[in-house]
Amino acid sequence: MNAVAEPKIIVALLPEPETVMPCLDCALAAADGFDAAISAIHVGFNPRFAFVPPEEIAIQQLRELREGTIAARLARTKAVFDAWIAGRAGAPVTWKHDEGDVGALVAAETADADLVVMGNPVRLDGRDAFHATLFWSKRLLLVAPPDPRTGPRPARTVGRHIVVGWKPGEPVKRAARQALPWLARAGKVTVVSVEKPGAESYQTSARAFFAELGIAVDCVELRREAGSVGQQLLAAADRLGADSLLIGAFKHGALWEAILGGVTRDVLAAAHIPVFMMC
């Protein structure tokens, strides 16, 4: 992998202790080869600094009974961060804590980011931060997979071989344009499309688009099978030996934007490699 001199701003959002280590592992791997600095930012809801309706405050107060106060949540997250950073080498990593309305904080903290890295959220602050990144800040998001439940944590690489889950449309094109530095850095890019029998192939549009970007790609066409397209993409990434997946995040529903499309939802539920995504 050739070094890329162009500086990058990478924000690692750390709203919950469970996802700190995989998130930072992926942020550090994504920074490899770039002149990059990583800002590790803990965001937490605090009603004193948030202009939200009373029902939202009530939900947050109930949450404290299960998860503890913001001070306790911050202490757990910072402890995991300190354990991770001890003895680490690579891109510089700075720590910051901010509290208030999580969505507003994320929008402000990620406004200039080239890449936002998050773990797949497990708690309320994490889900709010994830939603804000995807739908409000509209930055390229790299979702870190969870650590394995048993055994050693694997050494993480990001972007040596990227599989692009291709379905013609603006979401995947936006994601690819924003991920262009990582696509250009990759040793290999493979475009995988899951095709409906009898329909026009997606591959023509994929080849034309990546030719415009100046990215050489291999193309793999899969026949649509029963079950989840997302699982088909992940299985293909496994077979191809990819270390990352890139998809466009499709959504359904105008009233509640957090309702993600089936492929996006299925990929997030089962991914064990990092996933680049953008709406």
Side-chain angles (χ1 to χ4, degrees), residues 138-214:
K138 296 187 179 296
R139 313 310 296 172
L140 179 66
L141 175 62
L142 179 64
V143 184
D147 279 339
R149 295 181 183 273
T150 59
R153 293 168 60 236
R156 178 61 65 195
T157 63
V158 170
R160 296 178 185 272
H161 180 185
I162 301 175
V163 160
V164 178
W166 182 262
K167 180 180 180 180
E170 282 306 308
V172 69
K173 290 181 178 180
R174 278 194 293 269
R177 291 188 190 104
Q178 292 299 313
L180 184 56
W182 285 271
L183 292 168
R185 186 195 65 170
K188 186 174 184 180
V189 177
T190 304
V191 176
V192 176
S193 60
V194 179
E195 309 278 354
K196 295 179 181 178
E200 184 179 352
S201 173
Y202 294 161
Q203 293 293 317
T204 302
S205 63
R207 292 182 188 277
F209 176 75
F210 284 99
E212 289 178 7
L213 292 185

Side-chain angles (χ1 to χ4, degrees), residues 26-37:
C26 282
L28 196 63
D32 184 37
F34 295 101
D35 175 14

